[in-house]
Amino acid sequence: MKQPSLQMTDAQRSSTIAAVFCITLGVIYCIMTSLLPQAAVGMPNAPKVFPYALGFSLTGLGIGLLIQQILSIRQNSPKTEVKEKSETVTVDYHTKQILLTVANGVLYALLFKKLGYVLSTTLFLGLELFLFNGKGKWKVVLAVSVIFSLFIYILFNKLLGVYLPMMPVVGF
Amino acid sequence: MDSILQLMHGFTVALQPMNIMWVTIGGVLGTIIGMLPGLGPATGVAVLLPLTFSMGPVAALITMGGVYYGAMYGGSRASILLNTPGDGAAVAATFDGYPMTKQGRAEAALAISAIASFIGGVIATVFMVLVSVPVARFAIKFGAAEYFQLYVFALAATASMNKGNRVKGFIAMIIGLMIATIGIDAQSGVKRFTFGILELQSGIDFLIVIIAIFALGEVFKSFKNIREGKANIQKDFGKIWISRKEWKRSVLPILRSAPLGFFIGALPGAGGTMASLMSYNNERQLSKHPEEFGEGAIEGLAAPESANNAASVGAMIPMLTLGIPGSGTTAVMMGALMILGLKPGPLLFQQQPTIIWGLIASMFLGNIILAIVNIPLAGGLVRVLSVPPKILYPIVLGLSFVGAYAISYSVMDFYILLIFGVLGYLMGKAKIPTSPLILAVIVGNNMEQSFRRAFTISDGTLGIFFSSPICIVLFALTIISVGYPLVKSAILAAKNQS
Amino acid sequence: MRRMRRMSRIMMIIAAAAIMLTASTAVFANGQGEASAENYPSGNLDFVAPGGAGGGWDLTIRTTAKALKDTKLVNVPMPVRNNPGAGGSVHLASLQEMKGEDRTITVYSSPLLLTKLNGTTDLGHNDVTPLACLIADYASFVVAANSPYNSMADIMNALKNDIKSVKIGGNSSAGSMDHLQFLLMAKAAGVQNLNQIDYVSFDDSAVAQVLGGHIDLFSTGLSEIASLVESGDLKALGQTAGHRVGTGVIAEIQTCKEQGIDATFINWRGIFGPPEMPEYAVTYWRNTLKELVQTDEWAQAKTTNGWDDAYMDAPEFAEFLDQANADYESILKEIGMIK
């Protein structure tokens, strides 16, 4: 490969990754489709036709996107790359925040039924507010998360009849 | 003229003070419920069921009607202000409504949404009085092949409206269709892509995907802006109203979208989501400045708002005239009617004219009251934007999770929410549009199933897809909606070269 | 006079609201159901429809709760919640976490058996406690008013001549109730190659499809088509009870048995408790439900909804479930949906 083709703008990089992702997903999806059982009624392969079409289309579109990106990278002018680099630091911060939010969400899902709505939500919201605000404002964080959980719980359980899980033992 | 007389009688029913009170209470409650993500009109009506049991059938039906329209009004509030649609019908309101909010035009957005909903609702109610029976008779002409063509048309129009890279629009659409294949295949009973998870057997609810991609995606996107203090807090709020210029731009789209929404709503199974998305596509293609769509074009908000309210009126038609629930919400209402001792069906108009015409009259009334209530209500709601994003965004997350739980009572949906939230964020980064994915998730399963229904019914001949005038018209519309942008850009390119 | 009625209506609503509020406080007081034999039931009960709002299960459990309240047979609050998913299997799974509890009351019908048979779940009728069968609906087969078919025999003969000639539509997915009930009749009528019959599953819009002439025959529940048969838009060819059911046009529909097809299909709906429900609670519900089915309120609810009486006490009901399960299994084996 020529030297310029390795340097790409942020947009090109993410598009290329997306293209590779699509190709991979398309292939995996096709393999999974081939493993589906046959239908007992009607035509045996009827449930597979549409998924196959989707799998092949996605693979094809992924290849198309990849070619598009390779062509545009070749035409790259070196000027566009300079300013992109400064952003990498914040992107890392950003990714970290997202991963932490996802982890917090998983924790929430695990505790939701065990702790009941009010406790688990206070915890989830508290952690999330902390992620956004940092250590300084713990009073605000605490107040918002407790009030929100109680408010929603009462609104849903008492007024709307949409039952959220209760806390064990205490029954709230 | 007979129906006009009966409508007059209906008004005497609806205008009784108690019934006015019920429609107001229903409307306000509905608006509040509709604003919560995941809680749409269907949940709203279901939640209030126990309350309506203690009323007479007329009052019960009128209250439920109020809740229904209220929830439709409320659903778009959250779309406009927080990019968090409460239900499918409110998705299209995010396309231009949220950009307007970002530009500091939330007041105009909220105002046009109320005005468009009002006009759409009233026009649809007039249609209901005049043409409900012929429309119901026409709607049953839609067989599997016609539905397939309709879904293809809606999908093709949305996928091809992507401004930037057309390949990416289609990628989003295919991924959406893949999501829609998860679950039990109704035609064969085969389980597809469920990974042995019980909750996945009935498929992934499109509302979860919508909440994930819009609300979570928005929060994920915002981390950087918030840290750098770029996220803006709105401090000054104007009056909830629109300028003369904005009105001029919106009036035709509102008037055009109402009949479209009314008719799509009357098709069993199509509903408000399809209606609003189709009217959005429609206006975008008719517009003189399509490039403004998605950047805060007021007509891009006015059209779907008018259409989805008209659709909620249209959805009553199959229920009242044929006893077929046209949507999730009308299914709940039908259940309620049966508990109250009424039999929805073709004879309802003859057997219970007081109830039916009272309901229709209360639709007029409900729309007027909701418009009156909503404009001052919006004045208070808009102040949500003065909450600092550092506090507001975590709350949006909290609302998203509780909304997801309310849809299916399952924690499994939390994981699905997180997965699609990340997907939505990554799609944004790769500049892949999300709206084709959303629509594909909504119509994907129906589209495949309709195709296979038609294929079975015709013993495997493809001719059925072109066997009726409806099919051919829809197919032509598909060709136009895909071809027109291509031709237009080709002409533009030719002009630029010369 | 009118004002009086209005006033009483307001009072009722205020009362209902008050009940709802006190009810929800009561649940906090003894939410964990430490109730015992003497004071059962106390606190809130937990009525669950394993399907979405507006469906058949939802309607049944809400009607039951309303009748229990109206007749004052049960004087504690009975809030109804929905726990939908996978044809009721999601709720079935969550019931397993409530082993031995006494507050949760659920409705189920034929899909309780079918979901286990078609492999959706490993749980079946042995993983819940049957309390009583309340009502039955039956299958009915309807065609458009202008259809050339006028009897079940017409349909079966057409199928015997050309197995692809009649397109059957229903709302449930292939291998589920609407499909199965027709196959049971076709089998009894002597139709061969049952798995070759074209069955088209529509989400919930199959009525519109048969009205529009897109499918030939709609296989559904008897109670669902009453208004369209009455108005003359649909023609009912037969129903699957052992006797004539209901009143008016419904009572005029011939049974399949009368037409020489020796088979019946009952879509029973019964009330169930969680697995290993305590003895005192089982006794309480058996007695209460037995009383309920004899009240006028219940009779009224049955007429309105077109439900047929099918009351069975718990022991009889359990036997019935075993028998029905065996019937379904044999037909599903025959069409190859289970190996």
Side-chain angles (χ1 to χ4, degrees):
Chain A
M1 281 228 182
K2 284 179 190 171
Q3 190 60 19
S5 66
L6 292 172
Q7 290 175 327
M8 16 179 172
T9 62
D10 206 28
Q12 283 166 339
R13 192 181 305 118
S14 52
S15 291
T16 313
I17 296 171
V20 174
F21 172 79
C22 287
I23 297 169
T24 324
L25 180 66
V27 171
I28 294 176
Y29 189 82
C30 281
I31 295 171
M32 284 173 63
T33 304
S34 70
L35 296 175
L36 289 176
Q38 294 203 320
V41 289
M43 281 182 300
N45 285 319
K48 299 187 190 179
V49 176
F50 186 65
Y52 267 133
L54 294 180
F56 284 120
S57 311
L58 190 65
T59 316
L61 286 167
I63 293 172
L65 188 62
L66 193 64
I67 294 171
Q68 214 180 42
Q69 295 309 316
I70 290 172
L71 290 179
S72 82
I73 289 165
R74 292 226 166 136
Q75 291 171 356
N76 250 1
S77 64
K79 273 181 191 170
T80 45
E81 293 142 31
V82 185
K83 67 167 187 191
E84 301 289 339
K85 283 198 175 160
S86 62
E87 277 190 26
T88 38
V89 186
T90 45
V91 165
D92 281 346
Y93 160 79
H94 203 137
T95 317
K96 197 184 82 193
Q97 294 287 83
I98 291 175
L99 289 177
L100 284 173
T101 304
V102 172
N104 191 14
V106 172
L107 185 74
Y108 188 31
L110 292 174
L111 296 178
F112 194 71
K113 293 240 158 135
K114 291 204 180 77
L115 293 186
Y117 182 77
V118 178
L119 266 188
S120 62
T121 306
T122 309
L123 185 69
F124 168 75
L125 206 58
L127 287 174
E128 199 55 43
L129 282 161
F130 172 72
L131 264 185
F132 272 91
N133 293 288
K135 281 176 226 160
K137 298 179 181 169
W138 66 271
K139 276 183 195 161
V140 181
V141 167
L142 197 69
V144 171
S145 49
V146 169
I147 292 171
F148 175 86
S149 334
L150 282 176
F151 175 73
I152 293 288
Y153 184 82
I154 292 168
L155 178 71
F156 276 60
N157 278 42
K158 286 206 171 181
L159 299 175
L160 298 181
V162 175
Y163 298 101
L164 300 170
M166 287 185 292
M167 223 185 288
V169 191
V170 197
F172 189 77
Chain B
M1 275 312 99
D2 192 35
S3 41
I4 304 289
L5 268 179
Q6 294 201 286
L7 182 66
M8 287 301 129
H9 175 65
F11 269 110
T12 61
V13 175
L15 283 170
Q16 287 174 20
M18 278 302 290
N19 289 339
I20 294 185
M21 189 189 90
W22 285 128
V23 78
T24 314
I25 292 178
V28 173
L29 283 175
T31 311
I32 294 167
I33 292 170
M35 283 187 301
L36 297 166
L39 299 190
T43 333
V45 175
V47 157
L48 292 171
L49 271 185
L51 233 156
T52 54
F53 288 157
S54 4
M55 308 173 188
V58 182
L61 204 55
I62 286 177
T63 314
M64 285 189 284
V67 174
Y68 192 175
Y69 315 128
M72 301 292 286
Y73 272 80
S76 35
R77 296 289 167 275
S79 296
I80 293 169
L81 293 173
L82 303 173
N83 210 23
T84 315
D87 73 324
V91 173
T94 61
F95 296 167
D96 281 291
Y98 189 62
M100 284 180 76
T101 299
K102 276 185 164 168
Q103 296 160 8
R105 293 157 64 207
E107 295 87 348
L110 291 170
I112 195 70
S113 144
I115 295 169
S117 297
F118 168 70
I119 300 176
V122 169
I123 292 178
T125 313
V126 173
F127 277 17
M128 173 132 182
V129 173
L130 300 176
V131 294
S132 59
V133 174
V135 163
R137 296 283 147 189
F138 182 69
I140 60 171
K141 289 212 169 86
F142 272 68
E146 285 81 3
Y147 273 108
F148 175 72
Q149 294 282 18
L150 179 71
Y151 295 132
V152 170
F153 167 54
L155 211 52
T158 311
S160 62
M161 86 183 187
N162 180 28
K163 275 173 278 189
N165 192 327
R166 213 156 259 133
V167 176
K168 288 181 176 174
F170 281 101
I171 285 178
M173 183 184 87
I174 299 285
I175 294 179
L177 291 174
M178 283 180 167
I179 296 169
T181 56
I182 294 173
I184 292 181
D185 168 36
Q187 301 307 316
S188 65
V190 170
K191 280 173 262 176
R192 299 192 295 191
F193 315 111
T194 57
F195 308 98
I197 298 167
L198 200 58
E199 283 84 352
L200 287 182
Q201 294 198 349
S202 31
I204 292 181
D205 196 305
F206 71 82
L207 271 175
I208 307 278
V209 181
I210 290 170
I211 295 175
I213 289 198
F214 285 96
L216 267 69
E218 182 66 25
V219 172
F220 287 166
K221 213 161 53 186
S222 67
F223 278 117
K224 197 172 70 190
N225 286 344
I226 289 179
R227 192 194 195 188
E228 290 167 5
K230 273 189 210 155
N232 53 329
I233 308 172
Q234 192 171 344
K235 291 225 172 76
D236 305 318
F237 295 99
K239 240 171 77 183
I240 304 290
W241 205 241
I242 47 168
S243 67
R244 187 176 289 270
K245 195 175 142 233
E246 287 169 324
W247 169 245
K248 268 194 180 149
R249 283 180 65 159
S250 312
V251 60
L252 271 179
I254 292 175
L255 295 179
R256 278 195 293 253
S257 301
L260 177 76
F262 173 75
F263 181 70
I264 300 286
L267 287 177
T273 314
M274 284 275 288
S276 56
L277 288 167
M278 284 177 80
S279 77
Y280 184 84
N281 290 335
N282 198 13
E283 287 311 321
R284 192 172 176 276
Q285 297 202 331
L286 291 173
S287 170
K288 280 183 196 127
H289 10 250
E291 71 285 350
E292 286 177 25
F293 274 68
E295 309 286 337
I298 195 158
E299 61 269 41
L301 176 61
E305 286 294 278
S306 163
N308 74 24
N309 244 40
S312 71
V313 175
M316 301 264 186
I317 287 186
M319 171 176 89
L320 296 176
T321 58
L322 298 171
I324 302 167
S327 66
T329 315
T330 45
V332 179
M333 287 179 76
M334 233 177 95
L337 288 182
M338 288 167 79
I339 296 180
L340 289 165
L342 292 177
K343 277 188 197 152
L347 301 177
L348 196 59
F349 269 92
Q350 292 151 39
Q351 290 169 350
Q352 304 278 2
T354 314
I355 292 178
I356 299 303
W357 289 101
L359 173 71
I360 295 176
S362 77
M363 288 178 187
F364 278 110
L365 210 64
N367 271 299
I368 294 169
I369 289 172
L370 276 164
I372 295 170
V373 169
N374 257 274
I375 288 185
L377 202 63
L381 280 176
V382 73
R383 284 179 166 66
V384 90
L385 299 174
S386 64
V387 177
K390 284 181 183 182
I391 306 287
L392 185 62
Y393 282 2
I395 288 179
V396 169
L397 276 183
L399 285 173
S400 305
F401 278 94
V402 76
Y405 186 77
I407 293 169
S408 62
Y409 299 94
S410 154
V411 178
M412 183 57 64
D413 286 339
F414 286 18
Y415 299 109
I416 297 175
L417 203 60
L418 289 168
I419 292 171
F420 286 109
V422 173
L423 180 75
Y425 167 72
L426 293 176
M427 284 173 73
K429 278 211 69 124
K431 304 243 161 19
I432 297 176
T434 48
S435 51
L437 180 138
I438 298 285
L439 187 70
V441 173
I442 296 171
V443 306
N445 186 44
N446 277 328
M447 189 177 87
E448 184 203 357
Q449 297 292 327
S450 302
F451 182 85
R452 288 174 46 202
R453 284 167 193 151
F455 206 67
T456 307
I457 288 170
S458 69
D459 289 315
T461 48
L462 290 171
I464 189 171
F465 294 106
F466 305 97
S467 62
S468 74
I470 301 173
C471 279
I472 292 166
V473 168
L474 285 168
F475 182 70
L477 286 172
T478 309
I479 299 289
I480 293 170
S481 68
V482 176
Y484 178 66
L486 289 176
V487 174
K488 206 159 105 179
S489 55
I491 293 172
L492 270 175
K495 262 188 191 165
N496 286 345
Q497 272 184 3
S498 63
Chain C
M1 203 32 216
R2 172 166 274 174
R3 182 171 295 169
M4 287 268 290
R5 207 178 300 153
R6 258 186 234 146
M7 277 303 288
S8 64
R9 214 176 275 166
I10 300 178
M11 295 302 285
M12 267 167 78
I13 284 153
I14 293 170
I19 289 169
M20 272 163 66
L21 277 179
T22 43
S24 20
T25 4
V27 81
F28 303 137
N30 52 28
Q32 291 308 299
E34 75 263 5
S36 62
E38 299 94 67
N39 58 2
Y40 184 80
S42 66
N44 266 22
L45 291 166
D46 177 30
F47 275 45
V48 187
W57 286 331
D58 189 56
L59 183 66
T60 312
I61 195 103
R62 283 184 199 276
T63 310
T64 310
K66 185 173 186 280
L68 286 170
K69 185 179 146 207
D70 290 351
T71 54
K72 299 200 169 60
L73 281 170
V74 176
N75 291 314
V76 297
M78 295 165 278
V80 178
R81 66 185 170 99
N82 298 79
N83 189 11
S89 308
V90 167
H91 181 58
L92 200 52
S94 46
L95 277 177
Q96 305 310 307
E97 292 164 21
M98 302 177 194
K99 262 197 183 108
E101 288 185 19
D102 60 6
R103 289 191 316 123
T104 302
I105 300 296
T106 303
V107 62
Y108 270 110
S109 60
S110 311
L112 173 68
L113 307 175
L114 290 168
T115 45
K116 184 175 183 184
L117 289 172
N118 67 27
T120 298
T121 166
D122 296 331
L123 303 165
H125 65 290
N126 294 323
D127 301 291
V128 282
T129 309
L131 297 170
C133 181
L134 284 187
I135 47 165
D137 190 11
Y138 303 94
S140 69
F141 307 105
V142 294
V143 295
N146 58 1
S147 163
Y149 303 111
N150 288 308
S151 69
M152 287 305 284
D154 289 353
I155 296 281
M156 296 306 172
N157 287 335
L159 280 174
K160 282 177 194 166
N161 282 334
D162 175 4
I163 197 84
K164 296 284 179 195
S165 62
V166 187
K167 309 295 178 191
I168 319 294
N171 286 332
S172 60
S173 65
S176 283
M177 214 168 62
D178 292 350
H179 188 194
L180 197 78
Q181 65 198 17
F182 181 78
L183 293 181
L184 280 165
M185 297 305 127
K187 187 186 176 188
V191 176
Q192 305 289 315
N193 300 325
L194 293 180
N195 66 335
Q196 296 294 309
I197 294 176
D198 278 329
Y199 170 79
V200 188
S201 160
F202 292 88
D203 271 342
D204 47 16
S205 55
V207 196
Q209 298 297 312
V210 74
L211 281 172
H214 306 289
I215 49 173
D216 299 310
L217 180 96
F218 175 34
S219 167
T220 185
L222 188 58
S223 62
E224 311 210 351
I225 40 96
S227 63
L228 285 163
V229 172
E230 201 178 334
S231 68
D233 291 285
L234 289 178
K235 198 160 62 174
L237 302 186
Q239 47 101 333
T240 62
H243 54 276
R244 294 291 181 97
V245 178
T247 54
V249 286
I250 295 294
E252 284 165 31
I253 304 172
Q254 290 197 317
T255 65
C256 287
K257 273 200 156 160
E258 285 172 60
Q259 300 182 56
I261 299 172
D262 190 21
T264 55
F265 179 88
I266 302 170
N267 181 20
W268 48 271
R269 279 188 205 148
I271 301 292
F272 295 81
E276 295 166 30
M277 196 178 199
E279 197 52 46
Y280 61 83
V282 174
T283 319
Y284 173 83
W285 284 107
R286 280 175 61 185
N287 294 336
T288 310
L289 294 169
K290 187 182 257 168
E291 277 180 57
L292 174 73
V293 296
Q294 289 157 0
T295 60
D296 291 342
E297 284 83 353
W298 185 250
Q300 180 60 42
K302 276 190 312 192
T303 328
T304 322
N305 293 304
W307 293 333
D308 195 29
D309 188 36
Y311 174 74
M312 280 182 259
D313 196 6
E316 194 191 344
F317 188 29
E319 256 172 60
F320 168 83
L321 290 174
D322 287 334
Q323 181 58 44
N325 196 45
D327 289 350
Y328 299 171
E329 191 171 4
S330 79
I331 195 99
L332 285 170
K333 275 208 172 116
E334 186 165 341
I335 62 166
M337 299 270 309
I338 44 177
K339 304 279 158 0

